[in-house]
């Protein structure tokens, strides 16, 4: 074979390989694939939106959907990469009339193509009905961008990103009043969910079987279920979000989650837990404000371990009791059979129950240091302790300030140790209120505590 023939054969092979992945980036070529022959498609020139999408060439392009109410009864399907679908803002409304559970808009590869690359959906509104399916589904599409999209009133999830593995991004969008999850992210990697608003979906956000979620600057309000549910996802951060008034939990981490951080959020007025950790490990919860949670603000259960809980504020104010949500219990931290946990530098104010409670058969290597607890068991005189620790071993409880400075004290005891406790150090705590620490069991050291 001549050199020229060899070059031609190699070029054909390269084209064939990129077709299989519809424009996959590669480091082997000096010029990247994608957008060859791309075109601008004006949907106003076609009888239907589907015909406009079908008019996209293989190289992709931009479909401009004009303002107006675009009613459909079957899903719109896009099977090209390097595509932008752009409307005229919320004046472009795709209305799903289907009542058989079918979605409104689906982007996925055609048969024989494994993945699409670089698809954007922006500046439009997608609505459905109680019997319709999801508003938007993107499946096997890498480098997705969903921005300035309103996905509302759909019978299923608002939007589903399924195996959009490389770099999916969802920003500046609204996911409101969907019967399912607002945004359901499945099997994705290097995910950004930023500056969105979620209102009255079942749950706001799911991230399942993924990696490296960055969820920042979102507003999550009034959900019928939970706020954020993360399962089997590692190396992620949930930060600087407002999460309020969920009927379920504010944030749930469960399963094979590790190396995740929940930081600098305000989590308020949830009907169950603020943050619930189920069987996870190596999690940091820091610098959050927990306000008026109906049950414990943080729960670690199901073998959750190796946790750092630091620099958070747990609070409830006793004034303005005429408002319902001001009567919420505002509970603290519950550890169930936990080990290797640091609880430090937190502030607890007017908890209706305990600030810190550890139950179960084996709590060990807990480091509870430098916390401030003010007026525990508020409005429940003599019913709850500030700190309750059961079956504790190999732990340090030191340098905490526990105070009950009310005219009528409510805290039963400052610290209560029960069950089998061995080899613990309890020292240098400042206690104003009820009780000098007493630790039953062998090998415990109690010293230097100041009780007034």
């Amino acid at each position: 074979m001549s050199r020229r023939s060899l070059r031609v054969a190699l070029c054909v092979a390269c084209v064939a390989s990129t077709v299989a992945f519809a424009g996959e980036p590669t480091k082997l070529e000096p010029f990247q694939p994608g957008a060859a022959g791309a075109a601008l498609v004006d949907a106003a020139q076609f009888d239907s939106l589907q015909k406009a999408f079908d008019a996209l060439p293989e190289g992709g392009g931009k479909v401009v959907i004009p303002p107006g109410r675009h009613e459909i009864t079957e899903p719109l399907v896009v099977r090209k990469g390097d595509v932008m679908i752009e409307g005229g803002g919320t004046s472009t409304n795709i209305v799903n009339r289907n009542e058989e559970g079918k979605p409104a808009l689906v982007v996925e590869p055609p048969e024989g193509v494994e993945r699409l690359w670089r698809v954007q959906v922006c500046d439009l509104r997608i609505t459905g009905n109680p019997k319709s399916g999801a508003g938007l589904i993107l499946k096997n599409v890498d480098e997705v961008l969903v921005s300035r999209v309103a996905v509302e009133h759909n019978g299923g999830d608002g939007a589903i990103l399924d195996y959009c593995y490389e770099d999916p991004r969802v920003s500046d969008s609204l996911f409101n009043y969907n019967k399912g999850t607002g945004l359901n992210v499945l099997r994705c990697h290097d995910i950004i969910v930023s500056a969105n608003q979620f209102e009255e979906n079942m749950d706001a956000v799911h991230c399942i079987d993924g990696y490296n979620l960055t969820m920042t600057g979102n507003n999550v309000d009034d959900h019928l279920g939970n706020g954020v549910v993360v399962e089997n996802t590692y190396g992620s951060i949930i930060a600087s979000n407002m999460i309020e008034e969920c009927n379920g939990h504010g944030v749930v981490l469960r399963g094979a989650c590790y190396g995740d951080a929940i930081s600098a959020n305000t989590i308020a007025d949830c009907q169950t837990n603020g943050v619930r950790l189920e069987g996870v490990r190596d999690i940091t919860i820091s610098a959050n404000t927990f306000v008026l949670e109906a049950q414990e603000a943080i729960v670690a259960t199901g073998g959750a371990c190796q946790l750092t809980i630091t620099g958070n504020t747990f609070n409830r104010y006793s004034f303005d009791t005429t408002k319902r949500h001001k009567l919420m219990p505002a509970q603290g931290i519950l550890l169930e059979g936990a080990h290797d946990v640091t609880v430090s530098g937190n502030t607890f104010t007017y908890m209706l129950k305990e600030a810190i409670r550890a139950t179960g058969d084996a709590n060990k290597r807990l480091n509870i240091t430098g916390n401030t607890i003010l007026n525990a068991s508020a409005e429940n005189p003599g019913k709850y302790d500030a700190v309750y620790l059961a079956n504790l071993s190999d732990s340090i409880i030191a340098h905490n300030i526990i105070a009950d400075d009310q005219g009528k004290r409510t805290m039963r005891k400052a610290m209560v140790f029960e069950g089998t406790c061995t080899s613990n150090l309890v020292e240098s705590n400042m206690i104003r209120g009820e009780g000098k620490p007493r630790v039953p069991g062998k090998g415990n050291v109690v010293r230097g505590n100041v009780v007034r």
Side-chain angles (χ1 to χ4, degrees):
M1 182 181 291
S2 68
R3 289 185 178 179
R4 183 177 184 278
S5 299
L6 179 60
R7 284 196 300 270
V8 170
L10 289 174
C11 287
V12 170
C14 288
V15 169
S17 67
T18 57
V19 167
F21 293 87
E24 179 186 22
T26 173
K27 295 179 180 179
L28 302 178
E29 292 295 323
F31 300 103
Q32 294 299 306
L40 176 64
V41 177
D42 182 359
Q45 303 302 313
F46 293 82
D47 294 338
S48 69
L49 292 181
Q50 187 60 61
K51 289 183 179 179
F53 293 140
D54 292 343
L56 283 165
E58 288 302 316
K62 180 178 181 179
V63 179
V64 178
I65 305 176
R69 188 176 176 87
H70 304 271
E71 297 191 358
I72 60 172
T73 56
E74 290 294 323
L76 299 168
V77 181
V78 178
R79 292 193 171 95
K80 304 286 186 357
D82 289 301
V83 166
M84 172 184 277
I85 302 167
E86 183 181 51
T90 54
S91 65
T92 298
N93 187 9
I94 297 174
V95 182
N96 189 2
R97 289 288 191 181
N98 183 276
E99 295 187 351
E100 298 174 350
K102 295 181 180 180
L105 176 58
V106 179
V107 183
E108 63 181 0
E111 186 176 351
V113 174
E114 186 170 340
R115 310 191 65 74
L116 298 177
W117 284 81
R118 297 173 298 275
V119 172
Q120 300 180 40
V121 182
C122 58
D123 296 307
L124 51 82
R125 184 181 182 213
I126 301 173
T127 60
N129 64 80
K131 296 182 179 181
S132 67
L136 173 63
I137 298 177
L138 295 112
K139 187 173 183 179
N140 292 13
V141 184
D142 289 326
E143 295 185 1
V144 164
L145 173 58
V146 177
S147 64
R148 302 184 304 278
V149 173
V151 188
E152 305 171 333
H153 297 279
N154 293 282
D157 295 338
I160 301 173
L161 275 60
D162 185 2
Y163 202 30
C164 298
Y165 186 76
E166 288 290 348
D167 304 334
R169 294 154 289 165
V170 181
S171 62
D172 299 295
S173 294
L174 291 90
F175 300 88
N176 298 340
Y177 315 113
N178 298 289
K179 286 186 70 176
T181 300
L183 175 63
N184 198 351
V185 182
L186 311 171
R187 303 184 298 164
C188 295
H189 170 254
D190 293 345
I191 309 149
I192 291 177
V193 178
S194 181
N196 303 286
Q197 291 179 286
F198 299 87
E199 180 91 20
E200 288 193 44
N201 306 284
M202 180 54 68
D203 293 351
V205 178
H206 285 183
C207 184
I208 299 173
D209 297 331
Y211 307 86
N212 310 135
L213 166 68
T214 301
M215 181 176 174
T216 57
N218 301 278
N219 193 290
V220 176
D221 189 35
D222 290 340
H223 280 76
L224 305 181
N226 302 309
V228 182
V229 178
V230 179
E231 297 182 9
N232 305 327
T233 297
Y234 81 85
S236 298
I237 183 167
I238 300 169
S240 302
N241 302 285
M242 174 69 209
I243 302 173
E244 183 185 31
E245 294 193 0
C246 298
N247 283 341
H249 310 298
V251 179
V252 181
L253 269 61
R254 64 166 65 106
C257 291
Y258 64 95
D260 300 326
I262 302 173
S263 298
N265 304 282
T266 292
I267 303 176
D269 200 12
C270 295
Q271 296 301 307
T272 49
N273 305 133
V275 173
R276 186 173 180 85
L277 308 175
E278 300 178 1
V280 301
R281 63 182 177 87
D282 298 298
I283 306 297
T284 297
I285 302 174
S286 65
N288 301 283
T289 297
F290 294 93
V291 189
L292 301 165
E293 311 298 350
Q295 298 180 23
E296 290 83 5
I298 298 176
V299 172
T301 188
C305 62
Q306 295 153 223
L307 313 173
T308 300
I309 303 171
T310 186
N312 303 282
T313 298
F314 304 78
N315 66 89
R316 170 190 180 272
Y317 285 104
S318 57
F319 54 76
D320 200 7
T321 56
T322 59
K323 294 185 178 180
R324 178 194 61 81
H325 69 277
K326 298 295 184 182
L327 299 176
M328 298 284 277
Q331 301 180 49
I333 297 171
L334 173 61
L335 307 175
E336 296 182 334
H339 62 86
D340 303 297
V341 178
T342 295
V343 179
S344 68
N346 302 285
T347 299
F348 303 83
T349 308
Y350 288 97
M351 302 291 99
L352 284 196
K353 294 185 177 180
E354 299 97 344
I356 302 169
R357 181 179 179 86
T359 64
D361 293 335
N363 295 288
K364 59 184 178 181
R365 294 190 296 274
L366 305 187
N367 183 1
I368 301 174
T369 56
N371 301 283
T372 298
I373 302 171
L374 175 64
N375 298 336
S377 194
E379 300 180 23
N380 290 307
K383 191 171 183 180
Y384 298 103
D385 310 302
V387 178
Y388 174 91
L389 304 171
N391 303 314
L392 187 70
S393 67
D394 304 300
S395 297
I396 297 174
I397 298 90
H399 301 284
N400 300 286
I401 298 173
I402 303 176
D404 190 334
D405 64 353
Q406 304 169 96
K408 182 179 180 181
R409 292 178 178 174
T410 58
M411 179 175 65
R412 186 175 66 174
K413 296 288 184 182
M415 294 184 185
V416 171
F417 297 81
E418 290 190 351
T420 303
C421 297
T422 58
S423 303
N424 300 293
L425 174 62
V426 181
E427 71 169 354
S428 301
N429 297 285
M430 177 69 70
I431 298 171
R432 180 175 181 176
E434 294 294 328
K436 182 178 292 186
R438 293 181 174 84
V439 186
K442 297 180 180 180
N444 300 296
V445 177
V446 181
R447 65 189 180 196
N449 299 285
V450 178
V451 180
R452 293 188 295 166

